[in-house]
Amino acid sequence: MDIKKLVSQMTLEEKASLCSGADFWHTRGVERLGIPSVMVTDGPCGLRKQAGETDHLGLNASVKAISYPTGSCIASSFDRNLIRESGEYLGEECQAEDVAVLLGPAVNIKRSPLCGRNFEYFSEDPYVAGEMAAAYIKGVQSKHVGTSIKHFAANSQEHRRMTSDSVVDERTLRELYFPAFEKAAKEAQPWTFMCSYNRLNGTYASENHRLLTELLRDEWGFEGAVVSDWGAVNERPVGVAAGLDLEMPGPGTANTQKIIEAVKNGTLAEQDVDTAVERVLQFVYAYLENRDPNAKFQYERDHEKARQMAAESMVLLKNEGNILPLSKEKKVAFLGKFAELPRFQGGGSSHVNSFKVVGAVEAAEGLSVTYAQGYPTDTQTPDDAMIAEAVKAAKDADCAVLFIGITDAMESEGFDRKDLKIPACQEKLIEEVVKVQKNTVVVVHCGAPIEMPWIDDVKAVLYAYLGGEAVGGATVDILFGEVNPSGKLAETFPLRLEDNPSYLYYFGEGDRTEYREGIFVGYRYYDKKKLPVLFPFGHGLSYTEFAYSDLTFDKTSLKDTDTLRVSVKVKNVGERAGKEIVQLYVQDNESSVIRPVKELMGFEKIELAPKEEKTVSFTLEKRAFAFYDTAISDWRVETGEFTIHIGKSSRDIQLSGVVHVESTTVVKKVFTANSTIGDIMADPKGAQVLGQMMQAMMPGGGPDAGDMFDAEGMQAMMNAMPLRGVVMMAGDSVKPEMLQALLDKLNA
Ligand code: BGC
């Protein structure tokens, strides 16, 4: 389709109308020119396609679809292939349902564990979020269905989400809140980007030229269309000029009129409208020209995929005395309503009308499993009769498995959690059960971390997250050892909410939310503060053990323009086949800027049979060593030593080695009378010039500090002194012309 030609045949009115949707889920067509409309649908973890009358609140039922595990769950798989594959399944389902764009992935950084939408998001770490996003997009789009990576940008809270202003400094944006979007744009070219509701540093994302055009298109090379989050538009003509192509939902009648008027009165260039329409039609035709009329929704097959994904993603957090896996011979009591009716997906726009939901009780059919409800789900108040029944079941069994978590009412899109607690009735159930059953295992259904004051009282914890409609089967697979758990946390579990770095500032003041903790989000903070945590980033257990050896580098000295190849051997030293997620962290040993202790820059998931050994390799490029230098508006590596850590988790480092990296960025320094001696001496040329001068001025080696300072103290004092201070100390012997001559020499 010659889209430019098509646009040239349109009236201004037609073009303006195409900048909004036709209704909640469809783009607008132009009958006169034979331009059809296509459907877009949520996303990200299953299709929410409203079949009849559409409404934003999802009051009208959507078609049956598979509810896959949510973002926080699948991120814990650390498995790019699995996520890509799930994208392929979703893409096929979209083809079968005639959906052109799936509204996902959702990649916002988990700044606080309280964010109501953390269940949809991947990680507190931008590298993980970016890798998962790219895999998801590639998967869906391989089926000629578009994606909409969301919510761009810095939309890490639900509280006042439609008006809040995320105030974030440039370095923090570049290092934490942008990279997942940047990687997706550069590596996977999503068909669309969805701009977020919030403002970023004062300007709504939907009319933020810097975000939607300068950064996204000019810098990252994004070629697709930008779609507004549903209802995110503030001033539509400003949005068009900023690079927001499609307003959703439609019909946008008033805004269409505003666009027409703005063009007519010269405040909006018609060319900007043309560009927006071209971008919208680009994805419309990319879909229509590659329709797969034979695509069928394969419910059973896809349900099985959801089960596999859940089993690959759940995280075994604790397993004292190897209580898991359970023997199938044992009598086991499944306790808690979630055993029967799991909480498997989140509330809000991602809510899927699930094909079939299988709980653990149903999945355990044929095993020696009893069940008691244990707690109500409509109140937090403990129910004594339910507890008594559960306690009896626990006593009569060899082992108790408690299914707990938080409810839909506590965790959803649209609002944030208030704390990290589970309902009081569940706390009470745990308390009573562990009194009578020392072999107690806990399975948690929740999209984000919870506090676990009872952690020492239970033998094992399996974090199922929101594991999708097939979560019951996957849980039973892991509990009884059919599947060896292999998920690891893509976020830190703090001991207490108050330990979280955003705790002091989260929710903000009115609409103003300052991201004051800056780059210190998640493990970047806990590591720097050396704080104990409940479970660290990257943690997850297996039923087997892995041994690491032979960390090697293809070079130990490199320029920042070179790549570094890192290899390590990993061996399964246990009795069962299993999967390990090998993590690579980079530490800048000495830096002139404030940096985290270490940052994740690589991970690989491998499968190993008992006694099998594999070599895992990583390739590191400049970005792995760099920080974002706002002085030069670019990434910069500082010459020096970097430690490469290989770990089982961020707090279980197995091997480390040092490499020397030389910077190729020349940063021109300008010295003034206010430059300190220390800063001048740290510069090779400065050291030479100033060194000579000091020798000349103080042939005896400078003033005798006597008892006042030791050599080191003297040095420190001198280092902190500005040049003008030295001149002043020297009295009349240094003339202003001499200082100027020195500066000229230093800056030459
Ligand atoms: C959500 C988006 C979603 C859209 C359409 C918005 O409220 O923030 O994630 O895609 O609605 O349902």
Side-chain angles (χ1 to χ4, degrees), residues 275-462:
T275 304
V277 176
E278 279 166 25
R279 290 183 185 139
V280 172
L281 292 184
Q282 230 171 46
F283 78 73
V284 168
Y285 283 102
Y287 172 69
L288 291 174
E289 287 171 358
N290 296 285
R291 270 292 279 139
D292 178 1
N294 300 319
K296 288 229 160 38
F297 209 127
Q298 300 188 55
Y299 293 96
E300 289 294 346
R301 184 201 68 167
D302 296 7
H303 178 85
E304 275 314 302
K305 188 76 200 166
R307 176 176 178 154
Q308 185 210 346
M309 285 171 69
E312 294 283 322
S313 304
M314 288 180 194
V315 188
L316 181 61
L317 293 175
K318 175 176 179 177
N319 194 18
E320 198 181 311
N322 291 331
I323 185 174
L324 293 179
L326 302 172
S327 154
K328 288 183 180 164
E329 314 306 316
K330 291 266 162 67
K331 273 176 67 184
V332 182
F334 278 8
L335 309 173
K337 185 68 184 171
F338 289 162
E340 190 193 14
L341 204 67
R343 181 149 177 274
F344 62 95
Q345 65 171 335
S349 59
S350 65
H351 201 90
V352 170
N353 182 7
S354 307
F355 162 59
K356 64 172 174 188
V357 182
V358 179
V361 173
E362 183 184 340
E365 211 186 290
L367 297 169
S368 177
V369 168
T370 55
Y371 165 70
Q373 176 172 340
Y375 53 80
T377 46
D378 54 355
T379 166
Q380 293 232 7
T381 313
D383 181 311
D384 291 343
M386 284 185 190
I387 291 180
E389 187 199 5
V391 166
K392 182 172 182 319
K395 235 191 229 163
D396 292 347
D398 301 316
C399 164
V401 183
L402 283 161
F403 289 75
I404 61 149
I406 64 175
T407 59
D408 284 331
M410 297 166 79
E411 181 182 40
S412 166
E413 175 180 337
F415 59 89
D416 293 324
R417 284 196 289 168
K418 292 185 180 54
D419 53 43
L420 303 184
K421 300 189 188 324
I422 55 170
C425 53
Q426 298 187 13
E427 294 251 359
K428 183 75 182 155
L429 178 68
I430 299 174
E431 195 184 314
E432 295 304 321
V433 167
V434 296
K435 281 183 193 159
V436 300
Q437 179 51 271
K438 61 181 190 326
N439 294 321
T440 295
V441 173
V442 174
V443 174
V444 189
H445 292 290
C446 182
I450 56 169
E451 289 167 354
M452 302 182 188
W454 36 261
I455 186 72
D456 293 335
D457 303 330
V458 303
K459 287 268 170 72
V461 178
L462 175 64

Side-chain angles (χ1 to χ4, degrees), residues 25 42 48 56 103 117 150-151 161 194 197 229-230 349 413:
W25 305 116
D42 282 308
R48 181 172 72 107
H56 187 33
L103 303 175
R117 268 186 117 162
K150 61 193 188 183
H151 310 86
R161 64 173 171 163
M194 186 189 292
Y197 285 127
D229 198 345
W230 269 231
S349 59
E413 175 180 337

Side-chain angles (χ1 to χ4, degrees), residues 412-681:
S412 166
E413 175 180 337
F415 59 89
D416 293 324
R417 284 196 289 168
K418 292 185 180 54
D419 53 43
L420 303 184
K421 300 189 188 324
I422 55 170
C425 53
Q426 298 187 13
E427 294 251 359
K428 183 75 182 155
L429 178 68
I430 299 174
E431 195 184 314
E432 295 304 321
V433 167
V434 296
K435 281 183 193 159
V436 300
Q437 179 51 271
K438 61 181 190 326
N439 294 321
T440 295
V441 173
V442 174
V443 174
V444 189
H445 292 290
C446 182
I450 56 169
E451 289 167 354
M452 302 182 188
W454 36 261
I455 186 72
D456 293 335
D457 303 330
V458 303
K459 287 268 170 72
V461 178
L462 175 64
Y463 221 75
Y465 275 106
L466 299 182
E469 64 178 53
V471 66
T475 307
V476 169
D477 288 344
I478 289 183
L479 290 176
F480 291 92
E482 288 297 321
V483 173
N484 190 349
S486 63
K488 297 205 183 196
L489 295 178
E491 61 189 321
T492 310
F493 277 41
L495 280 167
R496 316 174 305 152
L497 170 65
E498 292 81 356
D499 292 344
N500 180 266
S502 74
Y503 179 75
L504 293 172
Y505 322 112
Y506 196 71
F507 297 121
E509 294 167 336
D511 277 336
R512 190 173 168 85
T513 298
E514 296 182 20
Y515 286 41
R516 288 199 206 170
E517 68 287 347
I519 54 171
F520 292 103
V521 169
Y523 69 88
R524 287 167 168 76
Y525 172 80
Y526 299 112
D527 278 5
K528 193 89 175 181
K529 293 276 290 186
K530 296 195 171 83
L531 277 184
V533 295
L534 180 57
F535 295 107
F537 175 88
H539 169 75
L541 303 172
S542 163
Y543 295 153
T544 187
E545 284 290 326
F546 301 98
Y548 288 55
S549 66
D550 299 287
L551 172 63
T552 54
F553 305 127
D554 69 344
K555 45 182 108 55
T556 50
S557 186
L558 61 145
K559 288 204 172 101
D560 63 9
T561 43
D562 297 335
T563 54
L564 175 69
R565 203 83 185 127
V566 179
S567 312
V568 61
K569 285 186 183 155
V570 181
K571 186 172 183 179
N572 182 347
V573 292
E575 305 300 323
R576 285 170 169 267
K579 292 182 181 171
E580 173 69 323
I581 298 159
V582 185
Q583 300 158 43
L584 184 153
Y585 297 86
V586 177
Q587 171 176 6
D588 189 351
N589 292 1
E590 203 193 318
S591 170
S592 69
V593 297
I594 298 162
R595 297 193 70 176
V597 175
K598 62 182 187 299
E599 298 180 89
L600 185 80
M601 289 298 159
F603 62 81
E604 289 301 328
K605 189 167 192 174
I606 50 162
E607 184 166 16
L608 293 169
K611 308 290 170 276
E612 191 186 1
E613 182 173 68
K614 276 185 186 161
T615 299
V616 182
S617 298
F618 305 88
T619 302
L620 299 182
E621 296 181 350
K622 177 178 172 182
R623 274 286 274 273
F625 304 97
F627 66 95
Y628 190 81
D629 187 348
T630 50
I632 59 167
S633 299
D634 204 354
W635 295 88
R636 183 157 78 86
V637 176
E638 281 188 311
T639 297
E641 292 190 336
F642 290 79
T643 305
I644 311 295
H645 300 283
I646 301 290
K648 293 181 173 179
S649 86
S650 63
R651 294 247 169 129
D652 189 357
I653 299 301
Q654 296 287 306
L655 301 164
S656 301
V658 175
V659 294
H660 186 271
V661 186
E662 200 188 313
S663 178
T664 56
T665 308
V666 184
V667 182
K668 173 91 183 95
K669 284 213 182 93
V670 178
F671 295 110
T672 69
N674 283 321
S675 299
T676 64
I677 302 300
D679 286 350
I680 298 172
M681 294 302 279

